[in-house]
Amino acid sequence: MPSAPIAVIDFETTGMMPAQGARATEVAIVLMEGGRVVDRYQSLMRTGVRIPPFITQLTGITNAMVEAAPAAAAVMREAACFVGDAPMVAHNAAFDRKFWQAELQYAGLAAPHPFACTVLLSRRVYPDAPSHSLGRLTDHLGLPRAGRAHRALADAEMAASLLACMQRDLCQRFGLAWPDHALLMQLQRCARPAIGKLLQHHRQAAPAEQPPTALQMG
């Protein structure tokens, strides 16, 4: 059975908390199916909120760039259409989920999508990694870096590569069918001592499929 799509998202923002007035400056979404990138969406967005200098130093996104960008509501309508009903994944999902919900609310749209978190998942799949930050995990696992860190599309691409790597490793270690979003949600909430039991139960409930090869993943 074909793997259902998963949308991997990353925001760049003016601050940490929408509740404190922070707004998104850029969004990128990488659509994955069976560990393979099938589509991408990226846009800067104009909200009227000024970008602090230290954020510009971090991301390279300037006030002039966002002033020339499409209005945030228009971008978020496009992003919501691009994602459709696909469940979502982000690295440090608590952050991106807040901005996804807040920016869609500003646009008058609902945000029912469940989020899995590659930080929580990587702590369970790679507990001995020296760090679970996106860049350090990418280097530790020998995955490709995708452009400048702290730009939305580069970070979304790296998070998508990390997700596919974890899914593939779970298949190989535990003889699983390709892990779907529902299993990822269970796994990220699972205490480490109970992970083996969870995955054994899942393996018994569903026959294993051959994981995609690196060539198939593109």
Side-chain angles (χ1 to χ4, degrees):
M1 186 171 66
S3 176
I6 292 175
V8 183
I9 190 168
D10 186 80
F11 280 102
E12 302 304 328
T13 68
T14 64
M16 293 298 294
M17 296 287 292
Q20 296 174 354
R23 296 292 302 271
T25 58
E26 185 179 38
V27 62
I29 304 162
V30 176
L31 200 64
M32 303 287 289
E33 289 184 9
R36 185 170 60 91
V37 176
V38 296
D39 209 351
R40 298 169 176 85
Y41 176 85
Q42 179 274 335
S43 183
L44 294 165
M45 61 179 75
R46 184 181 75 252
T47 65
V49 174
R50 300 289 292 177
I51 303 172
F54 79 93
I55 295 288
T56 293
Q57 286 187 329
L58 180 68
T59 66
I61 299 172
T62 67
N63 284 296
M65 290 166 64
V66 295
E67 285 165 6
V75 171
M76 293 306 298
R77 284 193 289 269
E78 288 183 352
C81 184
F82 179 81
V83 170
D85 295 328
M88 305 189 79
V89 168
H91 199 74
N92 190 17
F95 175 87
D96 293 283
R97 182 177 61 242
K98 289 176 184 175
F99 280 93
W100 177 249
Q101 293 170 342
E103 293 296 343
L104 283 178
Q105 185 175 13
Y106 282 124
L109 299 173
H113 311 79
F115 270 76
C117 178
T118 50
V119 174
L120 297 178
L121 289 166
S122 67
R123 288 174 179 163
R124 287 152 176 81
V125 181
Y126 308 119
D128 298 326
S131 168
H132 294 91
S133 70
L134 184 56
R136 294 283 299 279
L137 268 174
T138 294
D139 294 341
H140 174 71
L141 296 168
L143 301 173
R145 281 188 174 261
R148 174 175 177 154
H150 303 297
R151 286 301 301 266
L153 185 56
D155 286 355
E157 293 269 13
M158 288 193 292
S161 292
L162 173 60
L163 172 65
C165 184
M166 289 191 289
Q167 289 173 298
R168 186 172 62 252
D169 283 350
L170 287 168
C171 287
Q172 292 171 348
R173 288 187 207 173
F174 297 98
L176 300 177
W178 189 254
D180 61 11
H181 194 273
L183 177 59
L184 298 177
M185 293 285 287
Q186 292 180 60
L187 181 59
Q188 73 180 13
R189 293 191 295 262
C190 187
R192 281 185 194 168
I195 288 173
K197 184 176 181 181
L198 169 68
L199 297 179
Q200 180 182 16
H201 175 77
H202 185 81
R203 184 178 66 244
Q204 292 170 344
E209 298 172 359
Q210 187 68 26
T213 66
L215 286 176
Q216 288 172 321
M217 290 172 61

